Amino acid sequence: MKLVSFIGSGNVAWHLAPALDNTDFAVREVYSRNPAHAAALVDKLYEADVKTSLDFSDSPSNIFIIAVPDDAIQSIVQEIILPDEAILVHTSGSQPLSALGYAAIPGIGVFYPLQTFSKSKKVDFADVPIFVESENPGTEKVLLAMAKAISKNVHQVTSQERKAMHIAAVFASNFTNHMLLIAQQIMKENNLNFDWLKPLIAEMINKSISIGPEQAQTGPARRGDFEILDRHMEFLQNDEQRAEIYKVISQHIIDRYH
Amino acid sequence: MKLVSFIGSGNVAWHLAPALDNTDFAVREVYSRNPAHAAALVDKLYEADVKTSLDFSDSPSNIFIIAVPDDAIQSIVQEIILPDEAILVHTSGSQPLSALGYAAIPGIGVFYPLQTFSKSKKVDFADVPIFVESENPGTEKVLLAMAKAISKNVHQVTSQERKAMHIAAVFASNFTNHMLLIAQQIMKENNLNFDWLKPLIAEMINKSISIGPEQAQTGPARRGDFEILDRHMEFLQNDEQRAEIYKVISQHIIDRYH
């Protein structure tokens, strides 16, 4: 059995720590700048303790998982004190492996679960793709075993590939969601019910995932219907930024298909 | 029992005609510029015939449904010859009721099913929102009955409301799908598998639909993480249009939340 310590108790740790705790990678410690947050996560685990300092020199753990916002990783790495032969990983989509270089130990790696996590919503890790990276063969082996303990969907990628994937994920997830927000706002401004769009949204995503977004594309820009595009731009003219978004995406669709 | 004729045999007619044919609104005729297309749809219906002209003066039908691309509606309305007391509707999200004005009959209306249709994919009409519009009370009553015969989700909206809804649908469906296309392209260009993004996409949409897009928003722009935004822009600089899309949407998210 490997023992694991978490640095961070945010959305990723909140789901990842209990998932690991049910496997041969038992969680023993949770550190957070806010000990109350660490305590809340510890409550969900079998035998873990709250850790209030980053001095892990006496820790029983082998694996230290940094699950904090990207801009907090550097200061953690500079402060943390690890036991001998520790493995140190981060869980970020956009930070390179070298973000852990300051730790000056051989056992560094990345353990990136590609999913959107919120504390209120349960996640089934079995289907969450996990991307592992390490330049140390022993560390890589341990991280692959840890990933496979919770997911059927484990892959090895380089820092550069992970960065590309993270940008693709921003388009596929964050920007997609923002399109839904704009749709919701337009409905609201016109006293229409956002719920009316939900069957369309669900069907469109199903179609896009099953036949692929290229085949699934419909709409005035796809058809090259400039009359409708002009009328929509006219409708949107009271909100310059929204009109700009409509224009650049429509233009991109037109250029792609015509 | 009311009898229905379809003008058009594209994706909307392909699903709407068989759905109506199972109710008290039986389909008797299908007209298409391409008679082979009309024949393919007629094959899915109980007692309908292919119609090769737009002269419906001897038609047994009461209701005539124009389900053709927006830019073909006008020429149909100019050419069609209807029997006495006919009801004429179109199924477009973006055309006003007045697009049927040339027919110069009292019974004009709109019958707009808000869904994305493709011939290869079955649609359960029970959940498809249908939006009905007419200025004639008798016509309105018939259209509401026809909508309720196939859907539990029937509403009356004005031409202006329908236009706003159609624009919202473009953001929610067409633009969302285009974000998925860009994500797929980025994955492909970096030899990564688009399938790896699918659990994220499915979860994000579920979350956005259940807790609402405003609460569901995550990502570097939402966090105001300008370092990541800069790095992503740098990564995208080989494709000017794609970088522009990344920039305007990120800016809109930043302005919305910060």
Side-chain angles (χ1 to χ4, degrees):
Chain A
M1 188 184 270
K2 298 278 182 186
L3 300 179
V4 177
S5 292
F6 269 82
I7 296 94
S9 57
N11 291 343
V12 173
W14 191 259
H15 293 281
L16 182 56
L20 287 172
D21 210 29
N22 280 320
T23 71
D24 282 345
F25 294 82
V27 180
R28 281 291 181 272
E29 298 168 321
V30 177
Y31 166 90
S32 170
R33 295 233 162 117
N34 184 330
H37 291 175
L41 176 52
V42 158
D43 277 349
K44 299 177 53 170
L45 304 170
Y46 293 114
E47 292 182 52
D49 292 319
V50 172
K51 190 85 170 65
T52 54
S53 105
L54 284 167
D55 181 354
F56 288 95
S57 47
D58 293 329
S59 170
S61 293
N62 323 91
I63 302 168
F64 297 82
I65 299 178
I66 300 178
V68 300
D70 281 9
D71 56 10
I73 293 176
Q74 270 319 306
S75 69
I76 300 279
V77 177
Q78 283 165 27
E79 235 182 284
I80 198 167
I81 303 172
L82 295 167
D84 289 345
E85 299 183 21
I87 288 175
L88 180 68
V89 302
H90 72 65
T91 57
S92 164
S94 33
Q95 296 298 317
L97 175 60
S98 60
L100 303 177
Y102 193 92
I105 58 166
I108 58 171
V110 179
F111 191 89
Y112 173 48
L114 178 59
Q115 188 48 286
T116 171
F117 298 103
S118 25
K119 284 191 176 167
S120 57
K121 202 156 179 308
K122 202 171 153 39
V123 171
D124 181 1
F125 257 97
D127 295 319
V128 174
I130 297 179
F131 298 92
V132 164
E133 179 182 359
S134 180
E135 290 170 355
N136 179 300
T139 300
E140 184 177 276
K141 200 176 151 191
V142 172
L143 296 181
L144 284 172
M146 184 162 80
K148 286 173 182 169
I150 54 173
S151 170
K152 297 171 297 187
N153 201 346
V154 176
H155 310 277
Q156 287 176 269
V157 295
T158 65
S159 288
Q160 183 65 14
E161 286 169 337
R162 188 159 34 80
K163 184 179 182 180
M165 189 157 57
H166 186 239
I167 294 170
V170 166
F171 279 94
S173 168
N174 306 152
F175 288 179
T176 294
N177 183 70
H178 191 63
M179 295 301 109
L180 299 185
L181 179 68
I182 294 174
Q184 186 187 41
Q185 290 173 330
I186 293 172
M187 293 296 274
K188 200 175 171 187
E189 287 159 16
N190 292 277
N191 299 311
L192 300 164
N193 190 340
F194 180 56
D195 286 350
W196 297 345
L197 293 177
K198 290 181 178 178
L200 172 69
I201 295 165
E203 173 69 9
M204 187 279 306
I205 292 287
N206 281 339
K207 198 195 279 194
S208 191
I209 282 183
S210 65
I211 68 174
E214 181 156 7
Q215 292 298 320
Q217 189 66 55
T218 58
R222 172 67 184 86
R223 292 194 305 274
D225 187 335
F226 292 98
E227 199 193 316
I228 297 289
L229 293 172
D230 284 347
R231 279 205 247 165
H232 285 185
M233 284 301 289
E234 197 191 318
F235 183 95
L236 293 168
Q237 70 186 355
N238 61 341
D239 186 326
E240 212 175 288
Q241 256 190 319
R242 200 186 274 169
E244 173 80 0
I245 291 173
Y246 188 94
K247 195 172 149 189
V248 297
I249 299 176
S250 293
Q251 191 60 55
H252 203 240
I253 295 173
I254 291 165
D255 293 350
R256 177 74 187 75
Y257 292 94
H258 292 277
Chain B
M1 185 184 270
K2 297 278 184 188
L3 301 180
V4 178
S5 292
F6 270 83
I7 296 94
S9 56
N11 292 342
V12 173
W14 191 257
H15 294 282
L16 183 55
L20 287 173
D21 210 29
N22 280 319
T23 71
D24 281 346
F25 294 83
V27 180
R28 282 292 180 271
E29 297 168 320
V30 177
Y31 166 88
S32 171
R33 295 232 164 121
N34 184 330
H37 291 174
L41 176 52
V42 159
D43 277 349
K44 298 176 56 174
L45 304 170
Y46 294 114
E47 293 182 52
D49 292 318
V50 172
K51 189 87 169 64
T52 54
S53 108
L54 284 166
D55 180 354
F56 288 95
S57 46
D58 293 330
S59 171
S61 294
N62 321 94
I63 302 168
F64 296 81
I65 300 179
I66 300 177
V68 299
D70 282 8
D71 55 10
I73 293 176
Q74 269 319 308
S75 68
I76 300 279
V77 177
Q78 284 165 25
E79 234 183 284
I80 197 166
I81 303 171
L82 295 167
D84 288 345
E85 297 182 22
I87 289 176
L88 180 67
V89 303
H90 73 64
T91 57
S92 164
S94 35
Q95 296 299 316
L97 175 60
S98 60
L100 303 178
Y102 192 91
I105 57 168
I108 59 170
V110 180
F111 190 90
Y112 173 48
L114 178 59
Q115 186 50 284
T116 171
F117 298 103
S118 26
K119 286 194 175 165
S120 58
K121 204 156 177 305
K122 202 171 153 38
V123 170
D124 182 0
F125 257 97
D127 295 320
V128 173
I130 297 179
F131 299 92
V132 164
E133 179 183 359
S134 180
E135 289 169 355
N136 179 302
T139 301
E140 186 178 276
K141 201 177 151 193
V142 171
L143 296 181
L144 285 171
M146 184 163 79
K148 286 173 182 168
I150 54 173
S151 170
K152 297 172 297 189
N153 202 345
V154 176
H155 311 278
Q156 286 176 269
V157 296
T158 65
S159 288
Q160 183 65 13
E161 287 169 336
R162 188 158 36 80
K163 185 180 182 179
M165 188 160 55
H166 186 239
I167 295 171
V170 166
F171 279 96
S173 168
N174 306 151
F175 288 180
T176 295
N177 183 71
H178 191 62
M179 296 300 111
L180 300 185
L181 179 67
I182 295 174
Q184 186 188 40
Q185 290 173 330
I186 293 172
M187 293 297 273
K188 199 173 172 189
E189 288 159 15
N190 292 275
N191 298 312
L192 300 164
N193 190 339
F194 180 56
D195 286 350
W196 296 347
L197 293 177
K198 290 181 178 177
L200 171 70
I201 295 164
E203 173 69 10
M204 186 280 305
I205 292 286
N206 281 339
K207 198 195 278 191
S208 191
I209 282 181
S210 65
I211 68 174
E214 181 154 8
Q215 294 299 320
Q217 190 65 55
T218 58
R222 172 66 186 88
R223 292 194 305 273
D225 187 336
F226 292 99
E227 199 192 315
I228 298 290
L229 292 173
D230 284 348
R231 279 205 247 164
H232 284 184
M233 283 301 288
E234 197 191 318
F235 184 94
L236 293 167
Q237 70 186 354
N238 61 340
D239 186 326
E240 211 175 288
Q241 255 192 319
R242 200 186 275 169
E244 174 79 1
I245 290 174
Y246 187 95
K247 195 173 151 189
V248 297
I249 299 176
S250 292
Q251 191 59 55
H252 203 240
I253 295 173
I254 290 165
D255 293 349
R256 179 73 189 73
Y257 293 94
H258 292 277

